[in-house]
Amino acid sequence: MTEYEKIYQFESLYRAYKMAARSKRRKTEVIEFELDLAENLWTLHDELENRRYKTPAYHRFMIYDPKKREIQALSFRGRVVQHSLCDNVLKPHFEKRLIYDCAACRQGKGTHFAMNRLNEFLREFFKEHGTAGYFLKCDVRKYFDSIDHNAPKYLLRRYPDKDIKTFLYQIIDSFNGDTGKGLPMGNQSSQWFALYYLDRVDRIIKEKYRIKYYTRYMDDLILLHEDKAHLQSCLAEISEVAARELKIEFNEKTQIFPISEGVDYLGWHFYLTDTGKVIRRLRTSNKRRFKRRLKAFKERYRSGELDFDAIKQSLANYNGHLKHEHTWKLKTKVYSGFVLTKAPKNESDTNITGEKPVIDKKCE
């Protein structure tokens, strides 16, 4: 069986459907797809087998957390194909080619993996050099929007399965085909393209400059070294390669910092104490966003737009993220005043733990 044939096998499409439908069973397009599930899957099978499948148009919408950006998403039908492609072809192909510390969107890895690796690097570095060293932080300017279509195609030019290569080229050109720039942020395949896109930079850092302490989360790179001049040389070369070969550039956040000042990474501020302890606290901007989110929860609960269970579930996600860091004081301070009240009905006040708090006169 060829790699392309793996995509359209009925069993592959059925598994892909189940993955695409997770946590989305109540959405209209998912329900409509499920009403005639077998027929829809066989139709996809036939289109893919006969090379008639074309990536559908993208639905575009804006998100504003943590910053304003446009997301381009496929219909549910298109997402099923994306899951089958990625799970059966792209994941096994790219996994064995990526370095270990490329952390985003990979099984068993993610933000906590990347942050824990940086913690580990800092502790090991302290044993050898104390706090006398430097961070190089790199961030690509508008990463997904900047990727030139010809660049990922060049990286895929030697793909062994010609049908897969043709299919991947079609997916790349399905977005902004007129300009030939950018990858859709809502595509699962785009994540794998974006991960592998900076592999050339990873290899220079690890193999030429021998940077032992290096982690990357998509386009967010952190390098740690005792010699500032060594980091400056590395930055000069990877910047030149990024501009010449990959047609991208690092933004103004790309700087070298003394370790004693700490560094921002994945929404947290990391720094070493004089005793070698690693402290990581929520960045100031994220603290403000967290407080704004709690304020919005109170307003939406008061108006009846959100119920208690929905808010509790959302906060469970926040707490799961915060519990890994030094945030006890932050949570104590913020949650102490977090009281949900209903209006205009004369109902009992309830805090997020489900207990009845002391009612503040201003909230009555």
Side-chain angles (χ1 to χ4, degrees), residues 256-305:
I256 297 175
F257 305 87
I259 285 178
S260 56
E261 293 183 8
V263 68
D264 290 337
Y265 186 48
L266 301 179
W268 299 85
H269 187 74
F270 292 71
Y271 61 93
L272 266 173
T273 68
D274 292 335
T275 61
K277 183 179 180 180
V278 180
I279 302 294
R280 57 190 191 194
R281 301 191 187 280
L282 199 63
R283 264 172 41 189
T284 301
S285 59
N286 285 357
K287 289 180 185 177
R288 289 196 293 265
R289 187 161 59 249
F290 181 46
K291 292 175 182 178
R292 287 198 301 268
R293 180 63 62 88
L294 292 181
K295 182 179 179 181
F297 281 155
K298 289 198 287 187
E299 293 173 352
R300 295 175 70 187
Y301 180 81
R302 186 173 179 82
S303 67
E305 186 180 349

Side-chain angles (χ1 to χ4, degrees), residues 93-339:
H93 177 77
F94 286 125
E95 270 288 351
K96 58 189 178 184
R97 289 168 170 80
L98 296 169
I99 66 169
Y100 180 77
D101 281 298
C102 180
C105 307
R106 298 171 69 186
Q107 188 173 355
K109 299 184 180 180
T111 55
H112 290 143
F113 171 87
M115 291 190 295
N116 289 336
R117 287 291 282 174
L118 184 53
N119 264 31
E120 180 184 339
F121 292 159
L122 284 167
R123 286 193 293 267
E124 291 182 9
F125 186 89
F126 182 85
K127 292 176 183 177
E128 298 177 13
H129 309 286
T131 58
Y134 298 88
F135 282 106
L136 167 56
K137 176 180 172 62
C138 301
D139 195 7
V140 178
R141 187 184 306 279
K142 296 183 178 179
Y143 185 41
F144 279 78
D145 293 337
S146 300
I147 294 177
D148 188 290
H149 288 188
N150 290 325
K153 287 180 181 179
Y154 181 78
L155 295 176
L156 294 165
R157 70 192 185 283
R158 295 176 181 170
Y159 201 96
D161 189 313
K162 292 184 179 180
D163 287 325
I164 289 290
K165 185 172 70 172
T166 301
F167 190 44
L168 294 179
Y169 282 14
Q170 185 257 116
I171 291 173
I172 292 170
D173 287 335
S174 69
F175 180 73
N176 288 352
D178 53 338
T179 62
K181 289 187 74 69
L183 295 177
M185 293 188 67
N187 259 15
Q188 190 180 359
S189 59
S190 295
Q191 297 173 359
W192 287 105
F193 295 150
L195 280 177
Y196 189 61
Y197 197 67
L198 289 177
D199 184 69
R200 174 85 170 97
V201 171
D202 293 339
R203 300 296 172 179
I204 293 172
I205 292 169
K206 295 295 291 184
E207 297 171 5
K208 180 174 181 178
Y209 285 87
R210 302 289 182 180
I211 303 293
K212 180 180 179 181
Y213 305 122
Y214 169 59
T215 178
R216 172 164 74 91
Y217 191 90
M218 198 58 77
D219 64 324
D220 201 349
L221 291 65
I222 298 290
L223 295 75
L224 179 61
H225 200 269
E226 67 275 12
D227 185 355
K228 185 176 182 180
H230 191 69
L231 290 178
Q232 289 172 332
S233 297
C234 182
L235 174 59
E237 181 160 349
I238 62 176
S239 296
E240 191 273 331
V241 168
R244 174 170 47 84
E245 297 183 14
L246 304 180
K247 313 300 182 185
I248 56 176
E249 62 179 3
F250 295 117
N251 61 24
E252 63 281 353
K253 296 179 184 178
T254 301
Q255 298 180 44
I256 297 175
F257 305 87
I259 285 178
S260 56
E261 293 183 8
V263 68
D264 290 337
Y265 186 48
L266 301 179
W268 299 85
H269 187 74
F270 292 71
Y271 61 93
L272 266 173
T273 68
D274 292 335
T275 61
K277 183 179 180 180
V278 180
I279 302 294
R280 57 190 191 194
R281 301 191 187 280
L282 199 63
R283 264 172 41 189
T284 301
S285 59
N286 285 357
K287 289 180 185 177
R288 289 196 293 265
R289 187 161 59 249
F290 181 46
K291 292 175 182 178
R292 287 198 301 268
R293 180 63 62 88
L294 292 181
K295 182 179 179 181
F297 281 155
K298 289 198 287 187
E299 293 173 352
R300 295 175 70 187
Y301 180 81
R302 186 173 179 82
S303 67
E305 186 180 349
L306 278 180
D307 61 22
F308 179 77
D309 289 337
I311 293 175
K312 195 169 184 178
Q313 182 176 352
S314 293
L315 288 180
N317 296 330
Y318 274 99
N319 290 333
H321 188 52
L322 294 174
K323 73 179 182 179
H324 296 277
E325 328 304 337
H326 301 89
T327 58
W328 184 85
K329 288 184 179 179
L330 171 66
K331 289 189 290 186
T332 301
K333 181 179 179 180
V334 172
Y335 283 144
S336 63
F338 185 61
V339 179

Side-chain angles (χ1 to χ4, degrees), residues 7-39:
I7 299 174
Y8 62 78
Q9 296 304 301
F10 188 85
E11 295 81 1
S12 299
L13 290 172
Y14 181 70
R15 285 194 301 269
Y17 143 73
K18 290 198 294 184
M19 293 296 293
R22 285 190 310 175
S23 304
K24 298 179 177 64
R25 291 295 175 87
R26 296 183 180 181
K27 291 188 175 293
T28 302
E29 61 175 346
V30 180
I31 294 172
E32 290 176 349
F33 191 89
E34 289 176 333
L35 288 175
D36 202 355
L37 179 59
E39 179 63 27

